[in-house]
Amino acid sequence: MENGEIESADEEMPSSSGRQYRPVGSHDRAVIEMSSMESGSSPNIPKKKLSVVPQVEITGNDMEGSSQTHDGLNGDHKESKLELFGFDSLVTILGLKSMTREQVPTSSSPRDGENISITLGRPKETGPKLGTMMGVFVPCLQNILGIIYYIRFTWIVGMGGIGESLMLVAFCGTCTFLTAISLSAIATNGAMKGGGPYYLIGRALGPEVGVSIGLCFFLGNAVAGAMYVLGAIETFLDAVPGAGFFRESVTIVSNSTSLPMNVTTTTVSTPSIHDLQLYGVVVTILLCFIVFGGVKIINKVAPAFLIPVLFSLFCIFVGAFVAPRSNAPSGITGLKLSTLKDNWSSDYQRTTNAGIPDLQGPIYWNFNALVGLFFPAVTGIMAGSNRSASLKDTQRSIPIGTLAATLTTTMLYLISVILFGSLATREELLTNRLLTAEVAWPLPAIIYVGIILSTLGAALQSLTGAPRLLAAIANDDILPVLKYFKVTEGEEPHFATLFTAFICISCVIIGNLDLITPTITMFFLLCYAGVNLSCFLLDLLDAPSWRPRWKFHHWSLSLLGALICIVIMFLISWTFTVVSLALVTLIYYYVSIKGKAGDWGDGFKSAYFQLALQSLRSLGANQVHPKNWYPIPLIFCRPWGKLPDNVPCHPKLADFANCMKKKGRGMSIFFSIIDGDYHELAEDAKNACHQLSTYIDYKRCEGVAEIIVAPTMSDGFRGIVQTMGLGNLKPNIVVMRYPEIWRRENLTQIPSTFVSIINDCIIANKAVVIVKGLDEWPGEYQRQYGTIDLYWIVRDGGLMLLLSQLLLTKESFESCKIQVFCIAEEDTEAEELKADVKKFLYDLRMQAEVIVITMKSWEVHMEGGPQQDESLEAFTSAQRRIAAYLEEMKETARKEGKPLMADGKQVVVNEQQVDKFLYTTLKLNSTILRYSRMSAVVFVSLPPPPLNHPAYFYMEYMDLLVENVPRMLIVRGYRRDVVTLFT
């Protein structure tokens, strides 16, 4: 197959949207040859091919130099309009796809001997996605409203009184509300995968913390399943006393005064612990069978479990207002102010293990103990994040749904405290375990059914969710001992389900709900503290990747939420707290020693970047994850012009260096090159370095100064780009001004030096930012208005997008708006490209207007009528100068009897290709002048120097590109992504 041809498949490629896409053919205009030389110009360049196969994968090797025209092979083939800019053009609508995965492959232009693989088409739809209501709000509401409210809340009001119960609800509600705010911030900082809070904590605080807290959260969910089962069985036995095999009666001894003759005894029937154990084990086994056989059905009908809960709540509130009814116990007084006053204060006393008041009971209750008992009633705020993989828009649904459910249930609890405290006497509140059913209208059976269905549904969710959490931890392959719980995609975690069932049955055998709930509380509090600490660390570090859409957060709120979680843990039981923290610590150290390293771009690594040498050792020499990427510019101070001797760096270059940092964070390296012999100029270099260092301190630039002595500027730059920096603190962006004075007769070496520097940056894997119009760059207090326009031609790892966002953080540009111009070659591609780019920018938390310009609109603008574009004069002038330069080269070659030479090396000039490059830059310059003449800054992709072209030609291409544009940043990324969709 000839160079640049495209193999076609017979069958059509499927589309997720229902449309059919035909295979790409060699005559399609969307297929763009992005090479810098013709394959026939050098016999040493191997042939390459670009093929599209039915599996929608494109494979190519060595795309460099595939620009051979096909006029002789295919008369219908149209020449590419963007050949100059390299292979990775946005026109192909392929560059954005690789950023939608967390482990982003290296982004580079293909080189000799390399293969590339690009996936075409949209992501495969896995099924219908859920919105805010059914995906987040309903699951959170279902998990929060549970057994504690029905069978323990009235008892808590009776024991703590209305006053302390209100304080209890407000205290616990504040904890979950602050945690929900932190959760919202982290969840809106990028796309989420499965694993819920484990995924968020692990990616923010590192794999060790994530696995340790994730395992405890798994245990909490497993134990919660036992709590729900016991609650359902206890309600069933109270509703159907004859179903118990070991029914027991308890004699209550109470004393309302200090006088001995006022002692009263009451006999109360209560379920036996043996019945709870027997029924609990049977129900748990049945639920496990359901989990094994019908998980998909469970997930579909799970929201239906909320209907009995909501209806039962309605019945309870209606019954409270119509109480007391004719058959009601004497303790139910109805809503009375006198009852409210009697129940306002607390009445802590001893009870049996079942919570029945008894002067000889083994348990003495206080406020701390009530916190441990009630806190599981406010948990469940993570239910929405646990379903992140099933949500349409996690960044919108999780904050709204979670906070709405938290506020709704907290208000419900506060109202219920006053309602129950005004409804019944204290003795009725403490002895009637199902007072909610007693007052419900019209029948108590409604509450029994509601409790049983809601608790069994919650238990089913726990037995379904906990194994998947364990499988998610195992699949990350951090902890080797969990390898048995790993599952492949689409496979059910059967072994993890059996292990979860074993833990659940073990807790059911304990049989005491009041002893289980504090254990659950500790595990959930550890998870909530981890979420708050994650948000605290990320917000405090404020790395460039930290751009959450949820703006109503602050590191102080996250820190307060974490402290409240820790306080609640110690209030409940310092013994349980110490044991829980010891367990987390042991798992942490075990993972640190035995676990495998996982580069998740966590917040601790961002902190290491700010801790000098110790941070450097911690990071190692591996490439930095996009979430931890910081711009470290290498700023070329004195090229392409002479500054006064007392000014070692252009003042506007120092201002621009500050624009590449977020809130001043980051390091810059300012360097200059002195031509000459090092032994003779070493002292001068030291003095110049001191002068430069003093100057950048005066300009308030965080950075270091370096002066290099070298025979030539090219040699000096080549040495500094290889050796500057240490470990991951090596500079990653080379910044310099555009050589606008290169045409002067005494500066004939600028083109070759300029091209040499760019080629050295490409080889050294450094990004390049060239500032055109540096003298017009705004100072620190010169406010700019209008737009920042991005002409995103080549996939650059997101560097251009990130730099534009960093500009917006500066006072000079904060009033500007970003416009992203993408180029398509067909009108049919425009809408799809625009939708893809808008979705991509939305996932990156970047606000920008997307404008797609087609090649057709360019041609109409250039050919439609007698009006002449002001760039045409520059175009014809460049053609004349190149022709004269080429003729001079040919004349020299004929005289010397040598091949065509330029810049000390042999070159091969294809005049047709030169005209195409000039025409490409002409059209792009015309478009920039048409749409962005009044913009504050214009960004455009930097085309690489074409292979085997004279440096003089490249300078003509660049001059035509920047013609009449007052302020421009020409950007080329490197083989790493600097932005990511994921949190």
Side-chain angles (χ1 to χ4, degrees), residues 625-646:
H625 193 278
K627 285 186 287 186
N628 305 127
W629 189 88
Y630 282 80
I632 305 177
L634 183 66
I635 300 167
F636 209 168
C637 291
R638 296 178 65 106
W640 334 130
K642 181 143 180 90
L643 297 172
D645 291 336
N646 61 341

Side-chain angles (χ1 to χ4, degrees), residues 271-346:
S272 170
I273 189 174
H274 303 298
D275 285 331
L276 294 176
Q277 293 168 339
L278 178 62
Y279 279 104
V281 171
V282 173
V283 170
T284 303
I285 294 175
L286 292 177
L287 291 177
C288 288
F289 277 114
I290 297 175
V291 171
F292 271 104
V295 176
K296 293 182 180 179
I297 298 177
I298 294 171
N299 290 334
K300 290 181 180 179
V301 303
F305 282 102
L306 186 63
I307 297 176
V309 178
L310 297 178
F311 184 69
S312 62
L313 288 176
F314 173 78
C315 295
I316 291 173
F317 276 82
V318 172
F321 282 99
V322 301
R325 297 199 299 272
S326 57
N327 58 345
S330 58
I332 299 178
T333 63
L335 299 177
K336 291 185 177 180
L337 183 61
S338 58
T339 306
L340 184 146
K341 293 180 180 179
D342 293 339
N343 293 332
W344 182 262
S345 59
S346 60

Side-chain angles (χ1 to χ4, degrees), residues 8 15 137 369 386 447 452 456 466 498 610 634 877 942 956 978:
S8 301
S15 167
F137 181 77
N386 287 338
I447 304 302
I452 293 173
L456 289 181
L498 290 176
Q610 304 176 39
L634 183 66
S877 299
L942 171 67
E956 290 288 355
V978 299

Side-chain angles (χ1 to χ4, degrees), residues 219-384:
L219 291 175
N221 278 278
V223 176
M227 180 190 73
Y228 295 132
V229 169
L230 288 176
I233 300 304
E234 186 174 332
T235 304
F236 171 72
L237 292 176
D238 279 330
V240 188
F245 297 100
F246 307 95
R247 195 70 178 176
E248 295 180 354
S249 297
V250 177
T251 301
I252 306 171
V253 181
S254 59
N255 187 1
S256 58
T257 67
S258 59
L259 299 178
M261 66 282 300
N262 289 330
V263 173
T264 59
T265 59
T266 306
T267 301
V268 177
S269 179
T270 180
S272 170
I273 189 174
H274 303 298
D275 285 331
L276 294 176
Q277 293 168 339
L278 178 62
Y279 279 104
V281 171
V282 173
V283 170
T284 303
I285 294 175
L286 292 177
L287 291 177
C288 288
F289 277 114
I290 297 175
V291 171
F292 271 104
V295 176
K296 293 182 180 179
I297 298 177
I298 294 171
N299 290 334
K300 290 181 180 179
V301 303
F305 282 102
L306 186 63
I307 297 176
V309 178
L310 297 178
F311 184 69
S312 62
L313 288 176
F314 173 78
C315 295
I316 291 173
F317 276 82
V318 172
F321 282 99
V322 301
R325 297 199 299 272
S326 57
N327 58 345
S330 58
I332 299 178
T333 63
L335 299 177
K336 291 185 177 180
L337 183 61
S338 58
T339 306
L340 184 146
K341 293 180 180 179
D342 293 339
N343 293 332
W344 182 262
S345 59
S346 60
D347 185 15
Y348 297 113
Q349 51 188 290
R350 291 187 174 276
T351 67
T352 63
N353 289 332
I356 304 299
D358 189 350
L359 290 178
Q360 308 300 323
I363 302 177
Y364 178 77
W365 293 88
N366 53 25
F367 182 81
N368 297 354
L370 288 185
V371 172
L373 177 62
F374 174 72
F375 193 82
V378 297
T379 59
I381 61 174
M382 301 295 181

Side-chain angles (χ1 to χ4, degrees), residues 826-897:
E826 294 288 348
D827 289 333
T828 56
E829 300 170 348
E831 290 303 320
E832 184 177 3
L833 177 58
K834 183 175 183 179
D836 285 346
V837 175
K838 289 180 68 174
K839 177 63 170 59
F840 179 68
L841 295 176
Y842 176 83
D843 289 339
L844 287 175
R845 295 88 66 200
M846 293 180 179
Q847 294 184 355
E849 182 181 1
V850 179
I851 301 173
V852 177
I853 304 172
T854 63
M855 298 295 288
K856 180 179 179 181
S857 66
W858 270 349
E859 293 168 356
V860 170
H861 177 64
M862 296 302 302
E863 301 169 2
Q867 181 180 358
Q868 295 295 318
D869 193 288
E870 59 186 302
S871 301
L872 288 177
E873 182 179 353
F875 173 75
T876 55
S877 299
Q879 279 186 319
R880 288 196 302 267
R881 287 191 297 268
I882 287 179
Y885 188 88
L886 182 58
E887 186 61 31
E888 182 180 347
M889 289 171 55
K890 292 179 179 178
E891 183 65 25
T892 304
R894 282 194 297 267
K895 289 180 179 180
E896 297 179 356

